[in-house]
Structure formats: C-alpha cells, structure tokens
Amino acid sequence: MGPRRKDPARFPVPRAGNRRAAALLASLLAGLLVPAAAQAQIKVRKADCFFAADGRTVIDGVCEFLTDARSYGVGGFRLATYTNGYLRDGVVVSVTAPGQGTATWNREPGGKPEDGPADGVTAEGACWTGSRSRICAWKVGEGRPGFGGAPAAAPEAGAPRAADCYLEVAGDVRLDGACQFRSETGQTGARGFEIRSYSAGKLDVVAQLVRDPQNPLKATAFWNGSSGGLRAAEALGALSPSGPCWDNDGARLCVWQPGQPRGGWDRRDGGTAPARDRPAEARAPAPPETPPSPPSPPPAPRDSAEGRDPPPGTFLKLSFKGRCESLMMDGEDLTATCAPEAVNTSVVGSPKAGFIFGTTDGKAMAFTASAKGFVEGGTLHQPVDALMYAERDQSTFKVKGTCEMPNPMGGPVVITCNAQSANSTYAVRFRTDGGKPVLTRGDAK
C-alpha cells in the first residue's frame, strides 16, 4: 500500500472538495455509516464447503461462509470463493420457511449469485438439497459426518415433474401457476423443455422452448395458441434468458420450483388476467394512441438534481445502503468487515468526484477523480486517479482505475471500483438495497 503517515503534503486540505472528502472519511471512521444492528447481522468465517449444481461440483473445500439474516433470512447464508480478491464462485441459500429455502448461484465465475439459476432446497443436516443442487457447510476440521459426497440424483430425461410456470404472450397472461415441466435432456433441459397446464382435467396450455445447440443462451419458443391445442406449433420467436425466465419483446416464459418465491420476475408490465378462450385477434394488444416515450436517460454525474440546477461549485453527496460483496484494501481481503453503506460525491461544474467505502473496524477509503466520467449503456464510468485512505492517520496516493455505477434510482444496482497503485490493489463491489439514495447538498464554494 502507499504510505500511511501524517504528511500534509500527501493529504492536501486547502481545497473544499478535499476538506469535505476528509470529513466524510472521518465520519466513516466515527461509525456514522455503520449501524450497530447491521454489524450484528452480518457474520463471516471460513468453513469447509461443498456445492454442486446440475451434476457439476463447483466448490469442494474451504470457502467463505457469510450469514446475513436481513438479506437471506434466519439460517440463510452465502458460500463464496475468490481469485485475486474477486468473487469467483458463489451460492446463496435464502430461507423462506423452517427447513425450506431457495438456492441461487452464478452461471459464470464472477457473476452475481442472486441473479443466476434457482432451485428450491430442503435442509438435511449440514446440507440443503434440491432437484438441481446440493449445498453443505461444516466447521473447518470437523469432518463431514453423514455426507455422501454427491448431489441429489437428477430426474430421468423427459420425466415430468410439478413446477410453477408463467407464460405471457403479447401482453396477455396465458399461464400463471401450477404446471407440468418436462425437460428434453436431464433435469435442466439441456436442449430445451416443455410445460403443460390443465383445466378441469383437460389440456389447456402447451409451450415448448428449444435451445440453440451452438449457443445455450439462445432459444426459440412455441405454444399451442389456444386452450386445448395439442401441439405447440405457434412461434413465439427467439428468446434470451433473464433470471428464471426466457423472454423477448412479445413473450415471456418462466419456470420455478413449486413454492419457490418469484421475486419480481413474474410480470414485466402487469399483463392482463388469463383469457384463454378469447380469439387470437382479441388477444393482440391495441396499438397505442400515442407513441411510447423513450426511457429517461440515467442522470449524468448529477450536474442537476431533484429538478433544479444547483449553482456551480455545489457539493453533492449520494448515500447508499446495501451489502458489500467484496472489499480489497492494499491487497488484503476485508470483505468480512466491510460496512453496509457507501457514498458517492461530486461537485457541480467540476470533474471531481469520489466513491467512499468503509469497514466496521475503523478503516475507510475514497476513490477520487479529477477527470470527468461518462455514461454508456445506462452506467456511469468514472476514471479514478487517486485514493484517500484513513485509519489512524490519513494519506493519499496515486492510483489508476475505474468506478462504475448504474443508474441507482430504479432499484438495486452494483457499484464497483477497481484501482491499482504502484505496488498494491484496491477493489470494492457494493450492492445497493434498491432504496432511493439520500441526496445531500453542500453550499457552493
């Protein structure tokens, strides 16, 4: 790490922006951003872990074991492994009822475990087991009593099983509830799957998804078009995966385990009540009276806020609550003590900006910028060129890196900062809780 000494030349104070950033660091150290209740909820330790999904062993050995009752429920947890301080493999068990929960995991190394595949799981001793996954954790060194070592056996290819399904076509909800799920290859539908629903003992809806053999993240879907149709012959077009769903502009097809919470995935635009016996022309949505307005662009680094343009020099501070997923200071993994709040600062009319993070044991760091960032694809990309560090003393030193922040006004987002000094690494991954960030303004200087 860069030097940590009381050296006024390395921590300039005459400029207003620096004075404010130093004050924010001091507030972090004073615990203003670390509620005691939040500290008590999150606990991290090493554990002996096992995680397998879809017939593949992902984690088998020592890993990080994190409990967070607020995020995962009482008894819920996250298992994670890291490479060079960055999340590699992760799985979350969210407890929904005593002995029952939902497991989610990242599809690819470094992905978000909460946004990946999902499986309903049941507690069995030190393990949670579902049709697709098995997650276990023991104290390091205690052995694995009663552990068979392999995940639950997969159902035979093509064997039907109960599921919770959702099908929306052209804005009309065609299926919303219990269904029969039949995969073409194995329990995950490696080449696709079919769902069926019944009404009064008779076939109602049939839908089929066929994966692209060259690209499993692309698929084509079909359905029977009307209640009682025997074949899924009406095309729904090409679909792409989105959490537990596959969708395009005109259709959405989702499948969950029975009893698994849907979260916010079931309807994109509210839809309409199922209307299975209406003719196809009646199901088509009416053309809009006026063209839809384009989506609002994300706020540029806040040269205006809350509808009024503050004068140049106004200091702006956005405060976020959420969960720190990883924290690396001076090459040391401090995720276990990362505070559950973060701050973004900027000055109107100036390229200066900062992203501030802290720990529950009195450390704080601010990634600061002297060059203006840019917005691309709804995400602010902010180059950073200095890092301010505070523990017992305060210091600042040069780094090279980037902070990225999607528009935080529309729900949970992930803020990341990665920077490299002459001899060390600093990195943060912070997930907001989706609440509106608190905006504080300071007087123009």
Side-chain angles (χ1 to χ4, degrees):
M1 165 179 259
R4 302 180 188 172
R5 63 178 186 272
K6 294 181 179 177
D7 182 352
R10 295 189 63 80
F11 194 81
V13 294
R15 295 181 182 272
N18 283 333
R19 285 201 301 271
R20 291 190 179 99
L24 284 170
L25 287 170
S27 71
L28 279 168
L29 293 173
L32 297 181
L33 300 183
V34 191
Q39 296 181 33
Q41 282 183 326
I42 302 175
K43 296 182 179 179
V44 181
R45 61 180 173 86
K46 297 296 183 182
D48 180 17
C49 308
F50 179 87
F51 166 48
D54 298 335
R56 182 175 71 92
T57 298
V58 182
I59 301 175
D60 190 3
V62 175
C63 79
E64 178 189 83
F65 179 88
L66 182 148
T67 57
D68 182 357
R70 182 179 58 181
S71 299
Y72 308 140
V74 177
F77 59 90
R78 184 187 74 175
L79 305 183
T81 60
Y82 295 83
T83 300
N84 296 325
Y86 296 95
L87 179 70
R88 177 174 174 80
D89 298 308
V91 57
V92 168
V93 173
S94 299
V95 175
T96 56
Q100 297 182 345
T102 302
T104 57
W105 57 92
N106 51 358
R107 295 178 182 272
E108 303 291 340
K112 306 172 186 176
E114 292 86 350
D115 296 346
D119 187 21
V121 292
T122 303
E124 299 178 356
C127 299
W128 292 77
T129 304
S131 63
R132 299 179 59 183
S133 62
R134 191 177 193 187
I135 307 100
C136 310
W138 304 266
K139 291 182 179 180
V140 175
E142 77 170 347
R144 299 180 173 185
F147 177 64
E156 294 179 3
R161 59 181 173 87
D164 179 23
C165 298
Y166 179 85
L167 175 64
E168 181 180 326
V169 181
D172 190 14
V173 180
R174 303 295 301 179
L175 170 59
D176 189 359
C179 71
Q180 184 184 84
F181 174 92
R182 185 191 302 268
S183 63
E184 185 170 325
T185 304
Q187 77 271 31
T188 61
R191 291 202 299 268
F193 60 84
E194 180 185 85
I195 60 171
R196 293 177 174 236
S197 69
Y198 296 83
S199 178
K202 296 182 179 180
L203 183 65
D204 185 8
V205 173
V206 181
Q208 185 179 31
L209 182 137
V210 181
R211 293 178 190 260
D212 184 338
Q214 303 300 320
N215 185 349
L217 297 182
K218 292 184 178 180
T220 304
F222 306 85
W223 77 304
N224 57 349
S226 61
S227 179
L230 299 180
R231 295 179 60 246
E234 186 172 316
L236 295 174
L239 280 69
S240 300
S242 177
C245 304
W246 291 77
D247 58 19
N248 59 23
D249 290 340
R252 166 166 279 203
L253 173 60
C254 313
V255 180
W256 299 267
Q257 297 285 335
Q260 176 185 342
R262 290 186 175 187
W265 292 100
D266 51 356
R267 297 187 184 188
R268 289 177 297 186
D269 302 312
T272 61
R276 297 181 175 87
D277 298 321
R278 302 210 312 256
E281 57 271 17
R283 292 197 308 270
E289 295 181 2
T290 58
S293 57
S296 301
R302 292 183 319 285
D303 280 2
S304 63
E306 296 185 351
R308 293 187 298 118
D309 289 337
T314 301
F315 180 77
L316 303 178
K317 180 180 77 170
L318 280 180
S319 300
F320 303 91
K321 293 183 178 180
R323 185 174 72 254
C324 183
E325 297 187 342
S326 63
L327 173 63
M328 178 74 65
M329 285 189 186
D330 195 16
E332 180 182 2
D333 186 355
L334 299 179
T335 305
T337 58
C338 188
E341 299 199 17
V343 170
N344 170 228
T345 66
S346 61
V347 178
V348 176
S350 168
K352 292 185 178 180
F355 289 83
I356 304 174
F357 308 89
T359 69
T360 59
D361 59 356
K363 301 181 182 70
M365 65 178 179
F367 296 82
T368 64
S370 59
K372 193 172 181 65
F374 63 94
V375 175
E376 182 178 34
T379 296
L380 169 64
H381 300 261
Q382 178 63 66
V384 295
D385 50 28
L387 189 135
M388 302 172 67
Y389 180 90
E391 190 175 355
R392 296 180 183 87
D393 304 321
Q394 295 176 345
S395 61
T396 185
F397 43 91
K398 293 181 179 180
V399 297
K400 185 176 182 180
T402 304
C403 289
E404 296 184 351
M405 180 176 69
N407 184 355
M409 302 302 178
V413 299
V414 174
I415 302 171
T416 60
C417 289
N418 297 278
Q420 184 76 36
S421 69
N423 55 6
S424 198
T425 299
Y426 303 84
V428 182
R429 180 183 175 91
F430 186 91
R431 182 184 299 272
T432 68
D433 63 4
K436 185 177 180 180
V438 177
L439 173 62
T440 305
R441 302 188 189 197
D443 295 336
K445 299 294 183 181

